[in-house]
Amino acid sequence: MSLRLAVACARQEAEKLSPLLRELERRGTVRPIVFERERHAFFPAEALEHAQADALLAVGPSAPGRLAALRRSHGRIPILLRPAAPPHDGSRILRSLRDDFLFRLECRYADAVLCAGSNDRKRCLRLGIAERKLHDAPFAVDNAHFAGSPHCREAAGTQRARLGIAEDEKLLLYAGKFDFRKGVHILLEQFLFLRRSGNGGKWHFALAGSGECEETLRQMAAEDSHIHLLPLPGAQELPSLLRAADLCALTPRTGLPWGALINGAMAAQRPVLVTEKAGCAPDLVEPGATGWSVDSAHPELWFDYVKGISRERLAAMGEAAGRKIRNWTPAAFADAVERAIPRKNR
């Protein structure tokens, strides 16, 4: 008989969790029951009772309503936490202090904390959370989906041809929300500097998405025919777009809890360029091997590594990225959940 795991998460977290929860369901040992909320992952105690949950997994940033719910559930069923705090950011000191305070209180009632990566673990240890409560549960996507099929690779070639990219030219890709906090406009600005300097003659830049800075990006893109603004692809089209690229970038200027695009890009065997503000940077980026981690405070240096790099070198780094991401799988997450639930409750 499978254990019933109530999963409380904000709606924006539910999609990211889906491949991880599908793996739990596939195994049959744990049956997830998802409770979604519009924003914070809080839930009424009566909902847990109605679902007859055997354990609880609370996902996302801390919130006062969730703390109260955890307090009510403490001692009745095992409680697992999956935090979603970005790396510490000097511009968000008060918010970081508040989040740390609430998280420390929540951990009093938790039996286990599922750490997505080394930033989560370091934060827990810094806040005095007992190490015995910490379980490494890697942030993961469906790697097989992003690895692509022969049809996907053929579609990638078609995408490059449609954009007018020659065989010896290179494509930089950003895919996601056009958000000022993610530094997309600064990334484009630095790309334009690279082109004007004469070092970016063989580079194109595709930006796939929409959002608050879209008009700014369109105005900047009008300067150069090597810049392509595309609609954000659906889940089925994203692997072929990643495959069409030679390098994928994610350059937030403020803290980002992880960066799912980077998992997908590496599963598609593409190297990555990320700033240290992305939570995935210390775990997934091996400088010069799987990509580069750059300083968000010095965007003028972001493209120093790629000025004269060949497509062959980028392809070799992409193969290394594919090997690196093999251990970051839904199966590894499911293993951590099963380990974190006390044996007496299984």
Side-chain angles (χ1 to χ4, degrees):
M1 182 177 178
S2 60
L3 180 147
R4 293 179 295 275
L5 177 68
V7 181
C9 62
R11 190 155 289 128
Q12 63 181 5
E13 298 287 340
E15 186 176 349
K16 300 175 187 176
L17 282 171
S18 60
L20 311 181
L21 301 183
R22 280 199 302 270
E23 174 63 20
L24 286 172
E25 286 187 295
R26 187 193 65 78
R27 295 183 177 197
T29 54
V30 176
R31 181 164 67 89
I33 306 167
V34 179
F35 294 88
E36 290 183 24
R37 291 292 181 270
E38 188 61 40
R39 293 186 63 193
H40 298 301
F42 70 92
F43 40 87
E46 56 268 22
L48 294 177
E49 293 172 1
H50 179 72
Q52 297 182 316
D54 301 304
L56 167 65
L57 170 59
V59 180
S62 303
R66 190 172 80 174
L67 176 61
L70 295 178
R71 187 185 298 118
R72 289 195 300 270
S73 301
H74 179 60
R76 298 166 53 198
I77 56 175
I79 296 174
L80 283 58
L81 293 182
R82 171 71 152 189
H88 267 277
D89 188 325
S91 65
R92 295 155 39 106
I93 293 176
L94 291 179
R95 181 173 176 178
S96 293
L97 289 173
R98 187 209 67 170
D99 289 348
D100 284 351
F101 175 73
L102 286 173
F103 180 63
R104 189 187 291 115
L105 291 177
E106 288 181 348
C107 287
R108 292 183 181 179
Y109 305 109
D111 296 276
V113 179
L114 304 180
C115 300
S118 58
N119 279 331
D120 279 350
R121 177 172 281 274
K122 289 176 182 176
R123 179 194 184 207
C124 289
L125 295 175
R126 176 174 56 80
L127 295 176
I129 311 303
E131 191 163 7
R132 60 179 173 77
K133 288 189 175 185
L134 307 184
H135 296 262
D136 294 324
F139 185 100
V141 299
D142 183 352
N143 287 350
H145 173 69
F146 287 96
S149 61
H151 172 74
C152 172
R153 290 187 280 275
E154 182 180 331
T158 302
Q159 182 78 263
R160 288 178 67 93
R162 188 180 298 124
L163 296 176
I165 302 172
E167 183 64 29
D168 64 337
E169 292 183 316
K170 295 162 284 191
L171 177 61
L172 172 70
L173 172 68
Y174 169 85
K177 290 182 179 179
F178 292 162
D179 189 329
F180 285 112
R181 290 174 299 175
K182 289 191 175 180
V184 191
H185 60 303
I186 298 174
L187 182 64
L188 178 52
E189 180 181 64
Q190 294 306 313
F191 181 80
L192 288 170
F193 286 152
L194 177 71
R195 294 272 296 154
R196 293 186 197 119
S197 71
N199 293 307
K202 293 289 187 179
W203 278 99
H204 288 248
F205 187 8
L207 300 99
S210 61
E212 62 181 9
C213 64
E214 182 171 354
E215 186 55 37
T216 300
L217 298 178
R218 289 195 179 280
Q219 292 173 9
M220 296 170 69
E223 300 179 26
D224 195 323
S225 61
H226 278 218
I227 300 170
H228 315 277
L229 263 67
L230 308 173
L232 183 66
Q236 297 306 312
E237 294 78 30
L238 183 56
S240 61
L241 183 59
L242 291 171
R243 280 269 175 184
D246 295 286
L247 177 66
C248 297
L250 181 66
T251 54
R253 301 294 305 281
T254 60
L256 183 69
W258 190 258
L261 172 69
I262 299 306
N263 289 67
M266 293 176 69
Q269 296 193 344
R270 293 298 176 261
V272 295
L273 178 74
V274 302
T275 63
E276 86 291 357
K277 297 296 186 182
C280 64
D283 297 291
L284 299 185
V285 180
E286 296 179 8
T290 64
W292 298 277
S293 179
V294 294
D295 189 344
S296 60
H298 293 283
E300 71 278 4
L301 303 178
W302 288 357
F303 287 108
D304 276 8
Y305 296 106
V306 303
K307 285 179 180 177
I309 199 166
S310 67
R311 285 199 74 195
E312 291 73 23
R313 172 63 178 147
L314 289 168
M317 292 178 68
E319 291 176 3
R323 292 191 294 270
K324 176 73 174 181
I325 205 66
R326 285 176 187 168
N327 295 326
W328 296 76
T329 62
F333 173 85
D335 288 343
V337 171
E338 292 175 349
R339 288 194 305 268
I341 298 173
R343 289 187 175 277
K344 64 181 180 180
N345 296 95
R346 298 183 200 175

